[in-house]
Amino acid sequence: MHDYIEMMQKMTGAGNKQDVEKMLGDIAFALDKSAIVAITDRTGKITYVNELFVKMSKYKSHELIGSTHSMINSGLHSKQFFKDMWATIGRGDIWHGEIRNRAKDGSFYWVDTKIVPFLNEKGIPNRYISIRYDITERKNLKEKILKDAEVYRLITENASDFISVIDLEGNFRYVSPNHESLLGYDLSKLQHTNFNTIVMDGDHPALNRALHLAKYSSTATVEFRIIDNNRSVRMMKVNLHLIKEKGEYFNHLVVAMHDITIQKESEQLIRELAFKDQLTSLLNRKAFSEKLYTVLESAKKRESTLGLVYLNIDRLRHVNDSFGHKIGDYALSVIANRLKTILSDEDIIGRISGDEFSFTLKDVKNEEEAERLTAEIKSRLEMPIQSNEESFSISTSCGIALFPKHAKTPTDLIMNAGKALHYVKEHGGGDYQMFEPGTAAKTLERILLENELRKSVQMGYFTLEYQPKMNLVYGELSGVEALVRWNHPDLGRIPPDKFIPLAEETKIILPLGEWILREACKQAALWKLQGYASIPIAVNMSTVQLEDPEIVETIERIMLEEGVGPEQIEIELTESSFADRDEMRYTIQKIRDLGIVVAIDDFGTGYSTFSYIKELPADILKIDMSFIRDIDVNENSQAIVKAIVTLADTAGLNVIGEGIETIEQVGILRRLGCREGQGYLYSKPLPPDEIVYMFPKVER
């Protein structure tokens, strides 16, 4: 994101980061306000419309949903027109065209329409999303020009926002008035110049190729950047059409330019969200793994050694507890910037999780050199950090693995470096360790904890607490999330972040997860028996559980045995459950086929699948609290949340904001379109006998 902001500053001349961040917020807002969106099932029945669709059609949303687009058919287009359209999308292809529709009051409006089919696992469309833009004014302008003069008829055959006529050398012969009103050019001067004068120098070759193509093929389409009179850069989609009719402009080119700047900026923002960590602007976990694959392929061809360092900031939680999360986030950004400064441009750096980073050491000769470089980097990273009047130091732990000695694939290299890091953490942290076979051997403390974990599952030392999820619009309870707690009789309460990873690694999560689901189902049945309204309970499920081939049957059996319906249970999964594993997605879809709602927890971290939201077999996105924490002061966070909400709405997914702590955050989330949330503002996780006071009673 940092690189993108710098690019935007250069392109727009914005003076500071805040100006660009505000611009990004405006882009997300404009995206929501500019597109007319509808979703239909495979038969054409409408299942979703946005506010702009309602506004343009003048129908109420409840009138549209459940019907088909035939209710807005203007009668202009032939049956063959729609037959061809359905044939295209029925094959799974995208259809693009212009359609005239009829509003409820009888008026007509034109829309530029793109219909995108969503395919099931068999490649067959099961629903369609249509994205439309209002081009009524452009169409009306075309009709007016047709009436006014012959030249306008020729120009508007490819009418768009900016219309001009040029000769085959690119010299202007006619320029539409909006070149002055919207771009700021003096028409009297512009008409005596060449088209190249307003096109960015780097895009001249693209323009010249398009001119050559249009000259011999009659038409051409190209995208390039122009500079307006204020020296701002605009991205244009340009159609060129050769005039073949005899007349003053015979053998000239009609140029129709459409400003797609906001569209391109929005697409760039989504790409940034999909591959960059938002706090540090480093590669996120998924992007780092993909980039590492390319780096290893290059090292393999050169027959060179490459080092990978997996770094953890020791006890970052203490910084958050002592100075607050903002200072903790600042510390993470400082570490990221120091890594960028220390490492070469050829090395790659990623933020793998909350307090973990990974980076490469290119062309190291051996283990000794990798250890020496790691020690030097570690020393520089641990220099004091100054924030306002506070100064504090951090320590780091590092695991090192070498390609190809320790691993030959990105996954194995990261895993082995992680094992070496784990060894360092188990021995007190603050050091570095080269991977060796047996690095991840269990320490005595780990063995004891694992044994106690196994016994506690059998002895029933676990309990569930419940945190409410609230409807942000009406302030009503919409659900609860079940959170497991380990209350050991001798060791006391053990935090989940200490025992859940161990439970997953040792597969103890399988019996523990089954107990959690059964206990949640028992509680749901009990609350219903006590006369409380049916409030869905969300149960977290790990990737390890999803890999169990009998997980779907287990869920169905427990629900049947405890007498609860699918509407009473939700399943929450991490993003990693959806990452590039077809069998995992198949399992998730089978869970949904039971009628159970599936939510993606901590969305936006780890794999950042922003650009693939429409492909996810899920019903709910839970926006990670890292985006909510500073949403009242950080416009970039607002832009990110708005982008997620907009895309989720388009795909028909609900959105929940996590970690809400202030009324101000609630107001901003509501304004951005987020309808549900949870956090300590409403309540911390509570035992069943306390959370029940928030439940509405069913009147009998």
Side-chain angles (χ1 to χ4, degrees):
M1 183 60 72
H2 176 75
D3 295 336
Y4 179 63
I5 289 174
E6 285 188 348
M7 180 190 74
M8 292 288 293
Q9 286 177 318
K10 291 178 182 178
M11 290 174 61
T12 64
N16 54 57
K17 181 179 178 182
Q18 287 72 25
D19 293 338
V20 178
E21 289 176 343
K22 182 178 184 303
M23 186 182 300
L24 294 176
D26 292 341
I27 290 170
F29 178 79
L31 183 65
D32 184 54
K33 295 299 181 183
S34 62
I36 304 165
V37 179
I39 299 176
T40 63
D41 63 17
R42 62 184 180 83
T43 66
K45 185 180 294 183
I46 299 172
T47 59
Y48 169 82
V49 292
N50 70 347
E51 292 181 3
L52 278 179
F53 194 112
V54 172
K55 181 179 179 181
M56 289 297 300
S57 69
K58 297 181 174 60
Y59 284 98
K60 301 292 185 182
S61 60
H62 67 84
E63 295 177 292
L64 293 163
I65 292 175
S67 63
T68 67
H69 282 82
S70 61
M71 71 185 303
I72 57 171
N73 188 348
S74 66
L76 175 67
H77 307 287
S78 66
K79 291 183 179 180
Q80 187 63 40
F81 175 88
F82 291 106
K83 184 178 179 180
D84 293 341
M85 179 191 75
W86 274 102
T88 299
I89 62 178
R91 292 192 303 268
D93 296 329
I94 296 173
W95 184 88
H96 184 206
E98 296 177 350
I99 300 178
R100 191 183 77 169
N101 290 329
R102 180 175 58 83
K104 186 176 182 180
D105 62 3
S107 61
F108 297 102
Y109 62 95
W110 281 88
V111 285
D112 183 283
T113 302
K114 183 172 288 186
I115 303 176
V116 182
F118 287 5
L119 309 181
N120 61 20
E121 62 274 12
K122 296 180 180 179
I124 300 173
N126 57 10
R127 57 177 173 164
Y128 305 94
I129 179 170
S130 59
I131 302 172
R132 304 176 174 92
Y133 292 92
D134 180 16
I135 57 170
T136 307
E137 289 187 12
R138 190 177 77 190
K139 285 291 185 178
N140 291 340
L141 174 63
K142 179 179 178 179
E143 292 179 6
K144 181 177 183 300
I145 292 175
L146 284 171
K147 295 176 183 177
D148 290 342
E150 173 67 9
V151 62
Y152 283 94
R153 183 188 68 80
L154 296 172
I155 290 173
T156 53
E157 285 179 354
N158 290 284
S160 189
D161 292 340
F162 303 95
I163 310 297
S164 59
V165 176
I166 59 175
D167 62 24
L168 297 181
E169 284 70 46
N171 299 308
F172 283 114
R173 296 293 305 277
Y174 167 84
V175 181
S176 64
N178 55 3
H179 283 74
E180 182 171 12
S181 60
L182 296 179
L183 299 179
Y185 286 111
D186 185 331
L187 294 185
S188 61
K189 295 180 180 179
L190 188 63
Q191 291 185 58
H192 300 288
T193 61
N194 190 279
F195 200 4
N196 272 318
T197 60
I198 67 171
V199 177
M200 292 277 289
D201 290 345
D203 291 346
H204 284 178
L207 171 61
N208 293 333
R209 285 193 298 271
L211 291 173
H212 180 79
L213 180 62
K215 179 179 178 180
Y216 293 100
S217 302
S218 298
T219 62
T221 301
V222 64
E223 292 183 2
F224 53 67
R225 297 162 296 168
I226 70 165
I227 308 171
D228 66 21
N229 202 44
N230 295 322
R231 310 306 297 170
S232 296
V233 177
R234 306 275 193 97
M235 190 70 188
M236 294 288 179
K237 182 176 182 179
V238 183
N239 292 316
L240 298 139
H241 179 78
L242 183 67
I243 301 173
K244 297 180 179 180
E245 292 86 348
K246 296 293 183 179
E248 181 182 358
Y249 295 108
F250 171 69
N251 216 31
H252 284 57
L253 293 169
V254 176
V255 180
M257 296 194 303
H258 180 63
D259 191 337
I260 58 172
T261 306
I262 290 179
Q263 175 186 335
K264 289 295 183 180
E265 289 170 348
S266 298
E267 291 173 357
Q268 180 62 28
L269 174 60
I270 298 302
R271 282 193 292 271
E272 290 290 335
L273 293 174
F275 296 106
K276 289 290 183 72
D277 173 66
Q278 304 309 306
L279 177 63
T280 63
S281 294
L282 298 177
L283 297 173
N284 61 29
R285 184 187 189 98
K286 181 180 182 182
F288 181 83
S289 297
E290 292 176 353
K291 186 70 173 177
L292 182 60
Y293 176 84
T294 304
V295 171
L296 293 188
E297 286 296 307
S298 176
K300 186 187 300 183
K301 292 178 182 177
R302 299 195 315 273
E303 297 183 348
S304 62
T305 298
L306 181 130
L308 180 77
V309 180
Y310 206 129
L311 179 146
N312 173 258
I313 301 176
D314 298 327
R315 296 175 291 280
L316 180 64
R317 186 192 306 170
H318 293 173
V319 176
N320 290 329
D321 293 342
S322 300
F323 304 105
H325 285 283
K326 289 184 180 179
I327 300 300
D329 288 347
Y330 175 71
L332 290 168
S333 65
V334 169
I335 294 298
N337 289 331
R338 288 178 179 177
L339 285 171
K340 293 175 188 175
T341 302
I342 296 168
L343 296 168
S344 73
D345 292 339
E346 294 180 330
D347 286 311
I348 60 172
I349 316 168
R351 184 182 177 202
I352 305 304
S353 64
D355 57 1
E356 293 181 337
F357 297 82
S358 192
F359 54 88
T360 58
L361 300 174
K362 192 171 183 291
D363 295 332
V364 291
K365 296 181 178 63
N366 48 45
E367 293 184 359
E368 290 74 19
E369 183 181 9
E371 289 178 332
R372 177 181 60 79
L373 290 173
T374 301
E376 293 175 1
I377 293 168
K378 185 175 183 299
S379 176
R380 293 176 65 178
L381 292 178
E382 292 175 354
M383 295 174 62
I385 296 175
Q386 186 72 35
S387 176
N388 298 326
E389 298 179 357
E390 300 287 350
S391 179
F392 58 92
S393 298
I394 61 169
S395 69
T396 60
S397 300
C398 300
I400 315 166
L402 299 185
F403 169 88
K405 181 177 181 179
H406 299 141
K408 293 181 173 59
T409 67
T411 300
D412 290 342
L413 192 64
I414 293 173
M415 180 178 67
N416 288 341
K419 288 180 178 179
L421 170 62
H422 183 75
Y423 181 86
V424 175
K425 299 294 287 185
E426 289 286 352
H427 287 77
D431 203 352
Y432 60 86
Q433 172 70 37
M434 181 66 66
F435 171 77
E436 298 175 3
T439 295
K442 297 178 181 178
T443 63
L444 178 60
E445 178 187 358
R446 181 180 175 83
I447 293 172
L448 291 174
L449 187 62
E450 181 181 335
N451 289 337
E452 290 301 318
L453 185 59
R454 291 185 188 278
K455 286 195 298 184
S456 293
V457 174
Q458 298 169 359
M459 300 296 292
Y461 292 153
F462 290 94
T463 59
L464 293 185
E465 292 184 348
Y466 300 87
Q467 187 173 36
K469 294 187 290 185
M470 306 296 292
N471 184 301
L472 301 183
V473 178
Y474 301 106
E476 298 173 347
L477 185 71
S478 59
V480 295
E481 179 180 0
L483 300 166
V484 64
R485 298 292 183 254
W486 185 10
N487 299 303
H488 193 279
D490 299 319
L491 302 176
R493 175 167 281 204
I494 299 173
D497 61 357
K498 188 169 184 178
F499 72 83
I500 292 295
L502 179 60
E504 292 179 334
E505 184 177 336
T506 59
K507 301 296 181 71
I508 299 174
I509 194 67
L510 295 177
L512 177 59
E514 186 170 334
W515 176 86
I516 292 170
L517 178 60
R518 185 177 295 278
E519 189 68 14
C521 287
K522 285 182 178 179
Q523 192 61 64
L526 178 60
W527 280 333
K528 185 176 182 180
L529 184 64
Q530 292 173 339
Y532 293 103
S534 181
I535 299 294
I537 299 177
V539 177
N540 290 279
M541 191 166 287
S542 77
T543 304
V544 177
Q545 291 173 268
L546 288 180
E547 291 172 344
D548 179 4
E550 297 180 357
I551 185 62
V552 178
E553 290 75 12
T554 298
I555 294 171
E556 190 172 20
R557 172 173 51 80
I558 290 175
M559 291 172 55
L560 182 63
E561 291 173 354
E562 301 303 333
V564 300
E567 74 283 354
Q568 294 175 268
I569 295 295
E570 296 177 359
I571 300 296
E572 291 192 6
L573 307 169
T574 60
E575 280 187 70
S576 59
S577 302
F578 297 82
D580 302 326
R581 281 181 278 186
D582 291 337
E583 67 274 12
M584 198 75 76
R585 291 178 177 233
Y586 175 77
T587 300
I588 295 169
Q589 186 56 54
K590 294 293 286 183
I591 294 174
R592 295 180 73 207
D593 291 342
L594 296 177
I596 296 174
V597 168
V598 171
I600 307 176
D601 200 12
D602 301 330
F603 185 80
T605 62
Y607 290 86
S608 292
T609 49
F610 291 96
S611 55
Y612 310 107
I613 286 177
K614 64 179 181 294
E615 302 174 10
L616 299 177
D619 307 283
I620 298 173
L621 302 183
K622 298 187 72 175
I623 302 176
D624 185 68
M625 64 177 63
S626 62
F627 299 117
I628 309 299
R629 185 182 299 131
D630 63 350
I631 197 171
D632 51 340
V633 295
N634 189 334
E635 292 185 356
N636 188 38
S637 292
Q638 294 185 26
I640 291 168
V641 171
K642 183 59 183 175
I644 295 173
V645 171
T646 300
L647 291 173
D649 281 348
T650 300
L653 304 179
N654 190 23
V655 177
I656 298 176
E658 294 188 283
I660 299 174
E661 296 181 351
T662 68
I663 292 294
E664 290 75 18
Q665 292 169 345
V666 174
I668 294 171
L669 286 170
R670 288 176 57 183
R671 177 169 56 81
L672 296 178
C674 184
R675 293 176 286 276
E676 290 189 48
Q678 70 182 93
Y680 274 59
L681 173 65
Y682 299 107
S683 175
K684 65 179 182 180
L686 296 172
D689 57 345
E690 294 183 30
I691 190 71
V692 76
Y693 290 110
M694 301 183 68
F695 281 36
K697 279 272 192 178
V698 177
E699 296 183 5
R700 297 184 183 277

